[in-house]
Amino acid sequence: MNAIITASELADELAGANPPVLLDVRWQLSTAKAAGAPPFDGRAAYGAGHLPGAVYVDLDRELASAPGASGRHPLPDVAEFGAAMRRAGVSPGRPVVAYDGGQGWAAARAWWLLRWAGHPNVRVLDGGLTAWEGPLSTDVPTPAEGDFAPAPGAADLLDADGAAALARSGVLFDARAGERYRGEVEPIDRVGGHIPGAVSAPTTANVAADGRFLSAAELRARFEGLGATEDGAVGVYCGSGVSGAHEVLALAVAGIPAALYVGSWSEWSSDPDRPVAVGPDPQ
């Protein structure tokens, strides 16, 4: 099954006999708070217009637990995540499509979590809301309660030790911007740089100018050129397990399975005893 769906394909499915549950996961990585500016408000964006029937999902509160030693977006409490998905109408027998404002990171986080928790049919709207050509709605739906019961473990998950080991034994991609990987700037976390052995593979290179994913063949060529193969062990991390989920999604489109280090750099860099590499060399 393809991990992404086009806007035209989604329109057809919404008119079909078993329309997907729609999750609006608009969110943006923002450093505005540190500068005294208000952060992006996904719920307000949802209220101004969303795909008809879509339910808003709060990434910070429903797709993650509170920030702490495990990073800025640790895994959510499984029971609370399940309850949030059921409130949104999610059931195992009904497909789910997640979308965001177009960047794809937040929708990919929902996609990855639902797959990790055992949902069999989850996709991301390629290009997000900006790709949708149909009408928008300001009505807030009240979907029938779903019966999705999370069963974690269906998608590969890395912890800090596992990520460090994979950087030596397989391929570990760093999905952040190159300047953060190299340690030239670090706007959020304690220190800049990367996990020793990790390969720089910015998420932004997985999509075209319109925000849609490159073709499967193009993505496969990119990742193979960086050392990944479908038979080898591949993992991804980012700042806090959001853009990294988008890279896992891109790898899935390319036909290459990959694990996600959810704690990512925000967890790794919080421990001064963990090694940090800087510069363009993985080591």
Side-chain angles (χ1 to χ4, degrees):
M1 180 186 301
N2 202 345
I4 58 176
I5 183 171
T6 67
S8 60
E9 291 169 339
L10 177 57
D12 290 342
E13 291 197 14
L14 288 172
N18 188 31
V21 172
L22 296 177
L23 304 181
D24 184 310
V25 202
R26 273 180 276 182
W27 172 92
Q28 289 180 13
L29 177 65
S30 176
T31 57
K33 186 175 181 181
F40 175 79
D41 188 338
R43 190 174 294 278
Y46 169 84
H50 51 265
L51 268 64
V55 176
Y56 178 71
V57 174
D58 189 316
L59 185 148
D60 291 320
R61 293 177 174 82
E62 296 174 315
L63 303 183
S65 54
S70 296
R72 279 181 278 109
H73 290 107
L75 287 172
D77 176 85
V78 172
E80 292 179 3
F81 173 66
M85 294 299 98
R86 289 190 293 274
R87 286 195 300 271
V90 174
S91 295
R94 189 174 171 192
V96 176
V97 172
Y99 73 90
D100 55 30
Q103 190 177 40
W105 294 4
R109 171 76 176 210
W111 167 85
W112 186 88
L113 273 171
L114 280 165
R115 287 177 66 250
W116 171 76
H119 197 286
N121 189 345
V122 190
R123 288 162 293 171
V124 167
L125 175 59
D126 194 15
L129 187 67
T130 57
W132 180 253
E133 296 181 352
L136 298 179
S137 173
T138 56
D139 295 336
V140 178
T142 54
E145 183 91 359
D147 60 1
F148 176 64
D156 289 335
L157 175 68
L158 293 171
D159 60 11
D161 290 341
L166 184 57
R168 302 298 184 187
S169 64
V171 177
L172 180 67
F173 287 135
D174 184 316
R176 298 172 301 157
E179 57 268 26
R180 293 184 70 190
Y181 170 89
R182 295 187 296 272
E184 297 166 358
V185 299
E186 182 43 63
I188 304 172
D189 294 312
R190 185 184 67 84
V191 63
H194 58 270
I195 296 173
V199 176
S200 180
T203 291
T204 50
N206 295 327
V207 297
D210 61 2
R212 292 177 173 88
F213 279 103
L214 303 179
S215 70
E218 290 171 315
L219 288 170
R220 190 176 187 87
R222 179 191 188 216
F223 292 124
E224 287 181 344
L226 293 170
T229 67
E230 60 182 310
D231 298 323
V234 179
V236 180
Y237 75 95
C238 57
S240 64
V242 180
S243 67
H246 188 270
E247 186 122 301
V248 173
L249 175 59
L251 282 153
V253 173
I256 301 173
L260 178 65
Y261 173 25
V262 172
S264 286
W265 190 248
S266 59
E267 178 186 43
W268 182 277
S269 64
S270 69
D271 184 346
D273 292 331
R274 293 195 184 103
V276 172
V278 296
D281 191 320
Q283 306 305 327

